[in-house]
Amino acid sequence: MATILRTWSYQYQWLYDGISRVAALGVGGETRFHRLPLQGLKIDPEMMVLDLCCGSGQATKFLVKFCNNVTGLDVSLVSLKRAQTNVPEASYVEAAAEEMPFPDNNFDLVHTSVALHEMKPSQLQTIINEVYRVLKPGGVFALVDFHKPTNLLFWPGLALFLQLFETETAWQLLDTDLIGLLKDIGFQVSNHTLHAGGSLQVIQVSK
Ligand SMILES: C[S@@+](CC[C@H](N)C(=O)[O-])C[C@H]1O[C@@H](n2cnc3c(N)ncnc32)[C@H](O)[C@@H]1O
C-alpha cells in the first residue's frame, strides 16, 4: 500500500505541509486543527511538554506559542534537523517513541499529532506504556489521529488519502479501540471527540 507520494511527502517538506494544509480544511484550517488536541486544557507556560513524533515541527510550532519548555521527539534525524530550523524555540531528541530517554514522571503534557497511525499494534501498546511512564501523575496525553468515519460521505476522501499516503498501519488504527487501550494501561479518559465526519479523533486522557 501507499504510493510514491508518501516517499515524496517525507522527502519534500513543502509537499507534506501542503497536503497537511489541504487536509486540515476538513476541520476549518491548520490553526483549528492544531488547537483541537489542546481544547479545554489548562496550559501553563512553565509546563513540561513533549511533542511526540514531532516530525518537522508542524505542531511543535503551535505548542511553543503557549509553553516555554517544549521538547520534540522523533526517530527521523532528517525531520529533527528541519524541526530545529523551523522551530528553534523547542529542544529536540532523536529517539524511538517505544524507548524514550526520559525519566519517569517527567512531563505535564505529552502531545502527539497524526503519528500513532504509523505504528503497528504491538508498537502502539509499547508507546502508550512509555507515554504513561514519562507523564507526571495528573499529566495529560493529548492526541489527534485518524478514526473510522461516522458520516459515510467522509469515507471516499479518507480512503483515498490513506491509499495514497499511508501504509496498512493507518488502516489498522481505524479498527483499533484506542480508548480501550489507553484505559487498560491506566489512563483516565477525559475527552474523546470526533471531527470531519468522524474521520479524525481527538483524545485527552490523564495519568
Ligand atoms: C505523519 S508524521 C507526523 C509529524 C507531525 N507530528 C505532524 O503533526 O505533522 C509521523 C512522524 O512520526 C515519526 N515516527 C514514526 N515512527 C516513530 C517511532 N517509532 N518513534 C518516534 N517517531 C516515529 C516519523 O518519523 C514522522 O516524523
Side-chain angles (χ1 to χ4, degrees):
M1 272 198 277
T3 63
I4 188 71
L5 285 174
R6 177 181 172 81
T7 314
W8 288 345
S9 71
Y10 272 127
Q11 205 165 336
Y12 306 109
Q13 204 203 316
W14 60 266
L15 181 60
Y16 182 99
D17 289 346
I19 294 158
S20 303
R21 214 162 287 138
V22 172
L25 291 175
V27 291
E30 266 192 314
T31 305
R32 184 161 149 69
F33 175 80
H34 289 306
R35 203 177 280 150
L36 284 177
L38 303 180
Q39 238 165 23
L41 295 181
K42 206 167 156 267
I43 308 282
D44 182 316
E46 296 314 311
M47 274 167 68
M48 295 283 289
V49 177
L50 173 66
D51 188 17
L52 185 63
C53 305
C54 64
S56 307
Q58 288 84 356
T60 324
K61 196 173 177 174
F62 190 77
L63 292 168
V64 296
K65 289 183 186 168
F66 306 100
C67 304
N68 302 324
N69 304 307
V70 179
T71 301
L73 177 145
D74 203 281
V75 79
S76 157
L77 189 56
V78 173
S79 295
L80 287 174
K81 281 185 179 159
R82 289 176 181 161
Q84 181 69 63
T85 306
N86 295 338
V87 195
E89 301 91 329
S91 51
Y92 296 95
V93 173
E94 182 195 358
E98 298 90 318
E99 213 172 335
M100 297 192 231
F102 304 119
D104 297 356
N105 310 321
N106 197 59
F107 293 100
D108 299 288
L109 172 67
V110 176
H111 164 280
T112 193
S113 179
V114 287
L116 294 186
H117 68 267
E118 304 236 325
M119 314 303 167
K120 296 189 184 94
S122 60
Q123 241 180 322
L124 202 55
Q125 175 107 21
T126 311
I127 291 169
I128 295 174
N129 267 307
E130 268 295 86
V131 171
Y132 192 87
R133 181 185 70 76
V134 301
L135 268 175
K136 293 178 185 172
V140 172
F141 181 29
L143 69 97
V144 55
D145 219 310
F146 299 124
H147 183 272
K148 200 179 266 186
T150 46
N151 181 337
L152 288 183
L153 295 176
F154 282 76
W155 258 117
L158 180 68
L160 180 65
F161 187 91
L162 297 193
Q163 204 66 43
L164 293 177
F165 296 104
E166 303 297 344
T167 66
E168 70 276 12
T169 56
W171 292 95
Q172 284 165 348
L173 185 75
L174 301 187
D175 287 323
T176 300
D177 175 13
L178 212 42
I179 292 287
L181 211 65
L182 288 157
K183 277 185 181 166
D184 286 349
I185 284 166
F187 280 107
Q188 292 200 327
V189 180
S190 38
N191 190 22
H192 184 205
T193 53
L194 301 182
H195 307 268
S199 59
L200 213 57
Q201 61 182 327
V202 169
I203 298 179
Q204 293 170 343
V205 290
S206 56
K207 176 170 171 181

mmCIF file of all heavy atoms in Angstrom, residues 6 10 16-17 20 33-34 51-60 73-77 79-80 95-99 111-119 123 127 144 146 166, ligand 1:
data_model
loop_
_atom_site.group_PDB
_atom_site.id
_atom_site.type_symbol
_atom_site.label_atom_id
_atom_site.label_comp_id
_atom_site.label_asym_id
_atom_site.label_seq_id
_atom_site.Cartn_x
_atom_site.Cartn_y
_atom_site.Cartn_z
ATOM 1 N N ARG A 6 3.880 9.089 -0.835
ATOM 2 C CA ARG A 6 4.277 9.024 0.573
ATOM 3 C C ARG A 6 5.771 9.347 0.703
ATOM 4 O O ARG A 6 6.176 10.139 1.536
ATOM 5 C CB ARG A 6 3.980 7.631 1.137
ATOM 6 C CG ARG A 6 4.433 7.479 2.590
ATOM 7 C CD ARG A 6 4.138 6.085 3.110
ATOM 8 N NE ARG A 6 4.728 5.876 4.430
ATOM 9 C CZ ARG A 6 4.181 6.297 5.564
ATOM 10 N NH1 ARG A 6 3.059 6.943 5.560
ATOM 11 N NH2 ARG A 6 4.774 6.059 6.712
ATOM 12 N N TYR A 10 7.550 12.801 2.488
ATOM 13 C CA TYR A 10 8.556 12.837 3.559
ATOM 14 C C TYR A 10 9.868 13.461 3.066
ATOM 15 O O TYR A 10 10.619 14.047 3.832
ATOM 16 C CB TYR A 10 8.808 11.443 4.135
ATOM 17 C CG TYR A 10 7.846 11.116 5.272
ATOM 18 C CD1 TYR A 10 7.093 9.948 5.271
ATOM 19 C CD2 TYR A 10 7.693 11.981 6.354
ATOM 20 C CE1 TYR A 10 6.198 9.657 6.310
ATOM 21 C CE2 TYR A 10 6.812 11.702 7.390
ATOM 22 C CZ TYR A 10 6.069 10.548 7.364
ATOM 23 O OH TYR A 10 5.200 10.275 8.393
ATOM 24 N N TYR A 16 4.646 17.815 2.060
ATOM 25 C CA TYR A 16 4.000 17.352 3.303
ATOM 26 C C TYR A 16 3.130 18.475 3.882
ATOM 27 O O TYR A 16 1.962 18.272 4.227
ATOM 28 C CB TYR A 16 5.068 16.937 4.329
ATOM 29 C CG TYR A 16 4.498 16.403 5.620
ATOM 30 C CD1 TYR A 16 4.402 15.033 5.847
ATOM 31 C CD2 TYR A 16 4.035 17.264 6.618
ATOM 32 C CE1 TYR A 16 3.858 14.543 7.029
ATOM 33 C CE2 TYR A 16 3.497 16.786 7.796
ATOM 34 C CZ TYR A 16 3.417 15.428 8.000
ATOM 35 O OH TYR A 16 2.880 14.941 9.164
ATOM 36 N N ASP A 17 3.712 19.671 3.949
ATOM 37 C CA ASP A 17 2.990 20.793 4.559
ATOM 38 C C ASP A 17 1.790 21.199 3.715
ATOM 39 O O ASP A 17 0.733 21.537 4.253
ATOM 40 C CB ASP A 17 3.936 21.989 4.763
ATOM 41 C CG ASP A 17 4.946 21.711 5.875
ATOM 42 O OD1 ASP A 17 4.759 20.749 6.639
ATOM 43 O OD2 ASP A 17 5.935 22.458 5.974
ATOM 44 N N SER A 20 -0.905 18.623 4.311
ATOM 45 C CA SER A 20 -1.476 18.809 5.663
ATOM 46 C C SER A 20 -2.423 19.995 5.673
ATOM 47 O O SER A 20 -3.492 19.960 6.293
ATOM 48 C CB SER A 20 -0.383 19.071 6.697
ATOM 49 O OG SER A 20 0.533 18.028 6.704
ATOM 50 N N PHE A 33 -6.980 22.951 13.521
ATOM 51 C CA PHE A 33 -6.538 21.561 13.633
ATOM 52 C C PHE A 33 -5.568 21.403 14.823
ATOM 53 O O PHE A 33 -5.711 20.481 15.636
ATOM 54 C CB PHE A 33 -5.855 21.117 12.329
ATOM 55 C CG PHE A 33 -5.260 19.753 12.406
ATOM 56 C CD1 PHE A 33 -6.064 18.632 12.266
ATOM 57 C CD2 PHE A 33 -3.908 19.576 12.653
ATOM 58 C CE1 PHE A 33 -5.525 17.359 12.375
ATOM 59 C CE2 PHE A 33 -3.360 18.314 12.756
ATOM 60 C CZ PHE A 33 -4.167 17.208 12.606
ATOM 61 N N HIS A 34 -4.604 22.303 14.902
ATOM 62 C CA HIS A 34 -3.608 22.192 15.985
ATOM 63 C C HIS A 34 -4.204 22.532 17.352
ATOM 64 O O HIS A 34 -3.689 22.089 18.379
ATOM 65 C CB HIS A 34 -2.402 23.086 15.685
ATOM 66 C CG HIS A 34 -1.566 22.571 14.551
ATOM 67 N ND1 HIS A 34 -1.054 21.282 14.521
ATOM 68 C CD2 HIS A 34 -1.161 23.152 13.400
ATOM 69 C CE1 HIS A 34 -0.377 21.103 13.400
ATOM 70 N NE2 HIS A 34 -0.428 22.214 12.695
ATOM 71 N N ASP A 51 6.325 16.935 22.472
ATOM 72 C CA ASP A 51 5.633 16.720 21.193
ATOM 73 C C ASP A 51 6.198 15.412 20.622
ATOM 74 O O ASP A 51 7.274 15.383 20.035
ATOM 75 C CB ASP A 51 5.860 17.899 20.242
ATOM 76 C CG ASP A 51 4.984 17.784 19.001
ATOM 77 O OD1 ASP A 51 4.008 17.013 19.026
ATOM 78 O OD2 ASP A 51 5.281 18.472 18.005
ATOM 79 N N LEU A 52 5.440 14.374 20.839
ATOM 80 C CA LEU A 52 5.878 13.024 20.477
ATOM 81 C C LEU A 52 5.714 12.799 18.976
ATOM 82 O O LEU A 52 4.645 13.063 18.426
ATOM 83 C CB LEU A 52 5.021 12.024 21.261
ATOM 84 C CG LEU A 52 5.361 10.543 21.143
ATOM 85 C CD1 LEU A 52 6.743 10.247 21.674
ATOM 86 C CD2 LEU A 52 4.329 9.715 21.893
ATOM 87 N N CYS A 53 6.787 12.300 18.334
ATOM 88 C CA CYS A 53 6.788 12.120 16.867
ATOM 89 C C CYS A 53 6.529 13.471 16.197
ATOM 90 O O CYS A 53 5.568 13.637 15.440
ATOM 91 C CB CYS A 53 5.767 11.081 16.431
ATOM 92 S SG CYS A 53 5.975 9.496 17.249
ATOM 93 N N CYS A 54 7.400 14.406 16.506
ATOM 94 C CA CYS A 54 7.170 15.811 16.127
ATOM 95 C C CYS A 54 7.386 16.081 14.647
ATOM 96 O O CYS A 54 7.002 17.148 14.160
ATOM 97 C CB CYS A 54 8.072 16.716 16.954
ATOM 98 S SG CYS A 54 9.836 16.444 16.651
ATOM 99 N N GLY A 55 7.996 15.153 13.918
ATOM 100 C CA GLY A 55 8.270 15.401 12.504
ATOM 101 C C GLY A 55 9.105 16.652 12.326
ATOM 102 O O GLY A 55 10.055 16.899 13.085
ATOM 103 N N SER A 56 8.714 17.489 11.374
ATOM 104 C CA SER A 56 9.483 18.718 11.107
ATOM 105 C C SER A 56 8.987 19.892 11.945
ATOM 106 O O SER A 56 9.275 21.045 11.628
ATOM 107 C CB SER A 56 9.393 19.065 9.622
ATOM 108 O OG SER A 56 9.772 17.955 8.856
ATOM 109 N N GLY A 57 8.218 19.592 12.969
ATOM 110 C CA GLY A 57 7.800 20.624 13.917
ATOM 111 C C GLY A 57 6.470 21.286 13.599
ATOM 112 O O GLY A 57 6.158 22.357 14.121
ATOM 113 N N GLN A 58 5.653 20.606 12.784
ATOM 114 C CA GLN A 58 4.370 21.203 12.358
ATOM 115 C C GLN A 58 3.510 21.595 13.563
ATOM 116 O O GLN A 58 2.923 22.681 13.575
ATOM 117 C CB GLN A 58 3.608 20.225 11.448
ATOM 118 C CG GLN A 58 4.203 20.069 10.061
ATOM 119 C CD GLN A 58 5.334 19.048 10.004
ATOM 120 O OE1 GLN A 58 5.749 18.493 11.013
ATOM 121 N NE2 GLN A 58 5.850 18.812 8.814
ATOM 122 N N ALA A 59 3.396 20.692 14.548
ATOM 123 C CA ALA A 59 2.573 21.016 15.726
ATOM 124 C C ALA A 59 3.429 21.675 16.816
ATOM 125 O O ALA A 59 2.913 22.457 17.626
ATOM 126 C CB ALA A 59 1.918 19.744 16.269
ATOM 127 N N THR A 60 4.715 21.379 16.796
ATOM 128 C CA THR A 60 5.633 21.976 17.790
ATOM 129 C C THR A 60 5.552 23.503 17.709
ATOM 130 O O THR A 60 5.559 24.205 18.723
ATOM 131 C CB THR A 60 7.090 21.525 17.510
ATOM 132 O OG1 THR A 60 7.098 20.187 17.035
ATOM 133 C CG2 THR A 60 7.951 21.643 18.735
ATOM 134 N N LEU A 73 10.291 15.004 19.997
ATOM 135 C CA LEU A 73 10.981 13.711 19.849
ATOM 136 C C LEU A 73 10.556 13.083 18.535
ATOM 137 O O LEU A 73 9.376 13.069 18.190
ATOM 138 C CB LEU A 73 10.637 12.794 21.020
ATOM 139 C CG LEU A 73 11.240 11.375 20.969
ATOM 140 C CD1 LEU A 73 11.598 10.890 22.374
ATOM 141 C CD2 LEU A 73 10.312 10.362 20.292
ATOM 142 N N ASP A 74 11.537 12.581 17.815
ATOM 143 C CA ASP A 74 11.225 11.858 16.580
ATOM 144 C C ASP A 74 12.372 10.893 16.298
ATOM 145 O O ASP A 74 13.498 11.075 16.743
ATOM 146 C CB ASP A 74 11.059 12.829 15.404
ATOM 147 C CG ASP A 74 10.212 12.240 14.283
ATOM 148 O OD1 ASP A 74 10.750 11.431 13.498
ATOM 149 O OD2 ASP A 74 9.016 12.576 14.191
ATOM 150 N N VAL A 75 12.050 9.868 15.519
ATOM 151 C CA VAL A 75 13.054 8.854 15.193
ATOM 152 C C VAL A 75 13.851 9.274 13.943
ATOM 153 O O VAL A 75 14.910 8.711 13.669
ATOM 154 C CB VAL A 75 12.333 7.488 15.007
ATOM 155 C CG1 VAL A 75 11.673 7.369 13.648
ATOM 156 C CG2 VAL A 75 13.240 6.312 15.313
ATOM 157 N N SER A 76 13.328 10.257 13.218
ATOM 158 C CA SER A 76 13.977 10.661 11.966
ATOM 159 C C SER A 76 14.865 11.886 12.170
ATOM 160 O O SER A 76 14.383 12.972 12.513
ATOM 161 C CB SER A 76 12.909 10.975 10.911
ATOM 162 O OG SER A 76 13.423 11.819 9.923
ATOM 163 N N LEU A 77 16.161 11.687 11.926
ATOM 164 C CA LEU A 77 17.116 12.782 12.090
ATOM 165 C C LEU A 77 16.855 13.894 11.070
ATOM 166 O O LEU A 77 16.970 15.078 11.383
ATOM 167 C CB LEU A 77 18.547 12.242 11.952
ATOM 168 C CG LEU A 77 19.663 13.213 12.316
ATOM 169 C CD1 LEU A 77 19.509 13.763 13.720
ATOM 170 C CD2 LEU A 77 21.022 12.523 12.167
ATOM 171 N N SER A 79 13.989 14.799 9.804
ATOM 172 C CA SER A 79 12.851 15.596 10.282
ATOM 173 C C SER A 79 13.277 16.504 11.441
ATOM 174 O O SER A 79 12.882 17.675 11.505
ATOM 175 C CB SER A 79 11.716 14.689 10.753
ATOM 176 O OG SER A 79 11.211 13.966 9.667
ATOM 177 N N LEU A 80 14.094 15.952 12.342
ATOM 178 C CA LEU A 80 14.502 16.745 13.505
ATOM 179 C C LEU A 80 15.346 17.950 13.097
ATOM 180 O O LEU A 80 15.229 19.027 13.681
ATOM 181 C CB LEU A 80 15.279 15.875 14.495
ATOM 182 C CG LEU A 80 14.424 14.883 15.280
ATOM 183 C CD1 LEU A 80 15.296 13.971 16.117
ATOM 184 C CD2 LEU A 80 13.426 15.616 16.189
ATOM 185 N N ALA A 95 15.011 9.829 19.046
ATOM 186 C CA ALA A 95 14.770 8.564 19.751
ATOM 187 C C ALA A 95 13.501 7.915 19.222
ATOM 188 O O ALA A 95 12.694 8.557 18.553
ATOM 189 C CB ALA A 95 14.620 8.819 21.257
ATOM 190 N N ALA A 96 13.347 6.637 19.559
ATOM 191 C CA ALA A 96 12.104 5.933 19.225
ATOM 192 C C ALA A 96 11.102 6.177 20.349
ATOM 193 O O ALA A 96 11.474 6.187 21.531
ATOM 194 C CB ALA A 96 12.369 4.446 19.085
ATOM 195 N N ALA A 97 9.866 6.347 19.971
ATOM 196 C CA ALA A 97 8.816 6.572 20.960
ATOM 197 C C ALA A 97 8.653 5.361 21.885
ATOM 198 O O ALA A 97 8.150 5.483 22.997
ATOM 199 C CB ALA A 97 7.502 6.877 20.249
ATOM 200 N N GLU A 98 9.109 4.202 21.415
ATOM 201 C CA GLU A 98 8.983 2.972 22.216
ATOM 202 C C GLU A 98 9.974 2.946 23.378
ATOM 203 O O GLU A 98 9.831 2.171 24.313
ATOM 204 C CB GLU A 98 9.262 1.725 21.381
ATOM 205 C CG GLU A 98 8.336 1.490 20.237
ATOM 206 C CD GLU A 98 8.793 2.143 18.946
ATOM 207 O OE1 GLU A 98 9.260 3.302 18.972
ATOM 208 O OE2 GLU A 98 8.679 1.496 17.900
ATOM 209 N N GLU A 99 11.009 3.780 23.278
ATOM 210 C CA GLU A 99 12.052 3.751 24.306
ATOM 211 C C GLU A 99 12.555 5.180 24.492
ATOM 212 O O GLU A 99 13.599 5.554 23.965
ATOM 213 C CB GLU A 99 13.197 2.845 23.840
ATOM 214 C CG GLU A 99 13.876 2.129 24.951
ATOM 215 C CD GLU A 99 14.873 1.108 24.411
ATOM 216 O OE1 GLU A 99 14.713 0.631 23.274
ATOM 217 O OE2 GLU A 99 15.820 0.808 25.150
ATOM 218 N N HIS A 111 1.923 15.338 23.852
ATOM 219 C CA HIS A 111 1.026 15.655 22.739
ATOM 220 C C HIS A 111 1.523 14.894 21.520
ATOM 221 O O HIS A 111 2.737 14.786 21.294
ATOM 222 C CB HIS A 111 1.113 17.170 22.513
ATOM 223 C CG HIS A 111 0.565 17.639 21.206
ATOM 224 N ND1 HIS A 111 1.270 17.549 20.018
ATOM 225 C CD2 HIS A 111 -0.606 18.222 20.896
ATOM 226 C CE1 HIS A 111 0.535 18.060 19.046
ATOM 227 N NE2 HIS A 111 -0.601 18.466 19.547
ATOM 228 N N THR A 112 0.612 14.334 20.759
ATOM 229 C CA THR A 112 1.061 13.734 19.503
ATOM 230 C C THR A 112 0.021 13.966 18.414
ATOM 231 O O THR A 112 -1.172 13.796 18.623
ATOM 232 C CB THR A 112 1.466 12.244 19.659
ATOM 233 O OG1 THR A 112 2.162 11.861 18.478
ATOM 234 C CG2 THR A 112 0.299 11.311 19.868
ATOM 235 N N SER A 113 0.521 14.406 17.268
ATOM 236 C CA SER A 113 -0.364 14.810 16.181
ATOM 237 C C SER A 113 -0.128 13.909 14.966
ATOM 238 O O SER A 113 0.994 13.836 14.440
ATOM 239 C CB SER A 113 -0.055 16.278 15.845
ATOM 240 O OG SER A 113 -0.866 16.719 14.793
ATOM 241 N N VAL A 114 -1.190 13.269 14.536
ATOM 242 C CA VAL A 114 -1.195 12.375 13.371
ATOM 243 C C VAL A 114 0.066 11.509 13.235
ATOM 244 O O VAL A 114 0.692 11.467 12.179
ATOM 245 C CB VAL A 114 -1.476 13.141 12.051
ATOM 246 C CG1 VAL A 114 -2.926 13.540 11.983
ATOM 247 C CG2 VAL A 114 -0.571 14.341 11.850
ATOM 248 N N ALA A 115 0.401 10.808 14.312
ATOM 249 C CA ALA A 115 1.586 9.945 14.284
ATOM 250 C C ALA A 115 1.267 8.502 14.699
ATOM 251 O O ALA A 115 1.903 7.569 14.207
ATOM 252 C CB ALA A 115 2.678 10.519 15.180
ATOM 253 N N LEU A 116 0.309 8.310 15.578
ATOM 254 C CA LEU A 116 0.060 6.947 16.079
ATOM 255 C C LEU A 116 -0.370 5.998 14.963
ATOM 256 O O LEU A 116 -0.152 4.785 15.047
ATOM 257 C CB LEU A 116 -0.995 6.957 17.197
ATOM 258 C CG LEU A 116 -0.579 7.677 18.486
ATOM 259 C CD1 LEU A 116 -1.636 7.504 19.562
ATOM 260 C CD2 LEU A 116 0.784 7.202 18.988
ATOM 261 N N HIS A 117 -0.931 6.550 13.883
ATOM 262 C CA HIS A 117 -1.359 5.676 12.775
ATOM 263 C C HIS A 117 -0.167 5.079 12.025
ATOM 264 O O HIS A 117 -0.350 4.247 11.159
ATOM 265 C CB HIS A 117 -2.260 6.445 11.801
ATOM 266 C CG HIS A 117 -1.538 7.514 11.049
ATOM 267 N ND1 HIS A 117 -1.483 8.820 11.477
ATOM 268 C CD2 HIS A 117 -0.819 7.465 9.913
ATOM 269 C CE1 HIS A 117 -0.773 9.523 10.620
ATOM 270 N NE2 HIS A 117 -0.354 8.735 9.661
ATOM 271 N N GLU A 118 1.038 5.519 12.376
ATOM 272 C CA GLU A 118 2.230 4.954 11.733
ATOM 273 C C GLU A 118 2.741 3.729 12.494
ATOM 274 O O GLU A 118 3.711 3.100 12.077
ATOM 275 C CB GLU A 118 3.346 6.003 11.682
ATOM 276 C CG GLU A 118 2.927 7.281 11.001
ATOM 277 C CD GLU A 118 3.811 7.686 9.848
ATOM 278 O OE1 GLU A 118 5.012 7.436 9.937
ATOM 279 O OE2 GLU A 118 3.282 8.239 8.862
ATOM 280 N N MET A 119 2.110 3.421 13.618
ATOM 281 C CA MET A 119 2.625 2.350 14.489
ATOM 282 C C MET A 119 1.856 1.045 14.302
ATOM 283 O O MET A 119 0.624 1.053 14.205
ATOM 284 C CB MET A 119 2.502 2.780 15.968
ATOM 285 C CG MET A 119 2.986 4.185 16.240
ATOM 286 S SD MET A 119 4.697 4.452 15.738
ATOM 287 C CE MET A 119 4.805 6.238 15.826
ATOM 288 N N GLN A 123 3.550 -2.062 18.625
ATOM 289 C CA GLN A 123 4.322 -0.836 18.886
ATOM 290 C C GLN A 123 3.472 0.171 19.662
ATOM 291 O O GLN A 123 3.949 0.820 20.596
ATOM 292 C CB GLN A 123 4.634 -0.196 17.532
ATOM 293 C CG GLN A 123 6.081 -0.051 17.163
ATOM 294 C CD GLN A 123 6.164 0.613 15.779
ATOM 295 O OE1 GLN A 123 5.362 0.344 14.887
ATOM 296 N NE2 GLN A 123 7.134 1.466 15.630
ATOM 297 N N ILE A 127 4.315 2.099 23.078
ATOM 298 C CA ILE A 127 4.431 3.556 23.096
ATOM 299 C C ILE A 127 3.484 4.162 24.137
ATOM 300 O O ILE A 127 3.875 5.049 24.900
ATOM 301 C CB ILE A 127 4.164 4.126 21.676
ATOM 302 C CG1 ILE A 127 5.321 3.731 20.750
ATOM 303 C CG2 ILE A 127 3.984 5.645 21.718
ATOM 304 C CD1 ILE A 127 5.077 3.997 19.280
ATOM 305 N N VAL A 144 -4.284 13.614 18.369
ATOM 306 C CA VAL A 144 -5.240 13.705 17.265
ATOM 307 C C VAL A 144 -4.774 12.726 16.188
ATOM 308 O O VAL A 144 -3.584 12.653 15.889
ATOM 309 C CB VAL A 144 -5.350 15.159 16.733
ATOM 310 C CG1 VAL A 144 -4.021 15.752 16.329
ATOM 311 C CG2 VAL A 144 -6.327 15.235 15.551
ATOM 312 N N PHE A 146 -6.365 9.655 12.911
ATOM 313 C CA PHE A 146 -7.477 9.170 12.101
ATOM 314 C C PHE A 146 -8.458 8.343 12.930
ATOM 315 O O PHE A 146 -8.098 7.774 13.972
ATOM 316 C CB PHE A 146 -6.967 8.286 10.958
ATOM 317 C CG PHE A 146 -6.048 9.008 10.015
ATOM 318 C CD1 PHE A 146 -4.773 8.528 9.750
ATOM 319 C CD2 PHE A 146 -6.453 10.170 9.369
ATOM 320 C CE1 PHE A 146 -3.919 9.184 8.875
ATOM 321 C CE2 PHE A 146 -5.616 10.839 8.491
ATOM 322 C CZ PHE A 146 -4.340 10.341 8.246
ATOM 323 N N GLU A 166 -0.542 6.556 3.052
ATOM 324 C CA GLU A 166 -0.310 5.798 4.289
ATOM 325 C C GLU A 166 -0.058 4.320 4.010
ATOM 326 O O GLU A 166 -0.204 3.855 2.882
ATOM 327 C CB GLU A 166 -1.506 5.966 5.240
ATOM 328 C CG GLU A 166 -1.815 7.418 5.602
ATOM 329 C CD GLU A 166 -0.702 8.133 6.358
ATOM 330 O OE1 GLU A 166 0.196 7.448 6.888
ATOM 331 O OE2 GLU A 166 -0.711 9.362 6.406
HETATM 332 C C1 LIG B 1 2.882 11.721 9.917
HETATM 333 S S1 LIG B 1 4.293 12.299 10.737
HETATM 334 C C2 LIG B 1 3.606 13.432 11.894
HETATM 335 C C3 LIG B 1 4.529 14.593 12.123
HETATM 336 C C4 LIG B 1 3.950 15.745 12.935
HETATM 337 N N1 LIG B 1 3.598 15.317 14.273
HETATM 338 C C5 LIG B 1 2.773 16.417 12.283
HETATM 339 O O1 LIG B 1 1.881 16.874 13.005
HETATM 340 O O2 LIG B 1 2.741 16.565 11.064
HETATM 341 C C6 LIG B 1 4.762 10.931 11.748
HETATM 342 C C7 LIG B 1 6.120 11.107 12.415
HETATM 343 O O3 LIG B 1 6.317 10.015 13.294
HETATM 344 C C8 LIG B 1 7.682 9.672 13.282
HETATM 345 N N2 LIG B 1 7.815 8.297 13.790
HETATM 346 C C9 LIG B 1 7.365 7.162 13.200
HETATM 347 N N3 LIG B 1 7.634 6.107 13.986
HETATM 348 C C10 LIG B 1 8.257 6.582 15.093
HETATM 349 C C11 LIG B 1 8.780 5.976 16.266
HETATM 350 N N4 LIG B 1 8.699 4.653 16.460
HETATM 351 N N5 LIG B 1 9.357 6.757 17.195
HETATM 352 C C12 LIG B 1 9.443 8.111 17.010
HETATM 353 N N6 LIG B 1 8.971 8.734 15.909
HETATM 354 C C13 LIG B 1 8.384 7.990 14.961
HETATM 355 C C14 LIG B 1 8.096 9.842 11.821
HETATM 356 O O4 LIG B 1 9.483 9.985 11.686
HETATM 357 C C15 LIG B 1 7.305 11.104 11.448
HETATM 358 O O5 LIG B 1 8.083 12.257 11.642
#
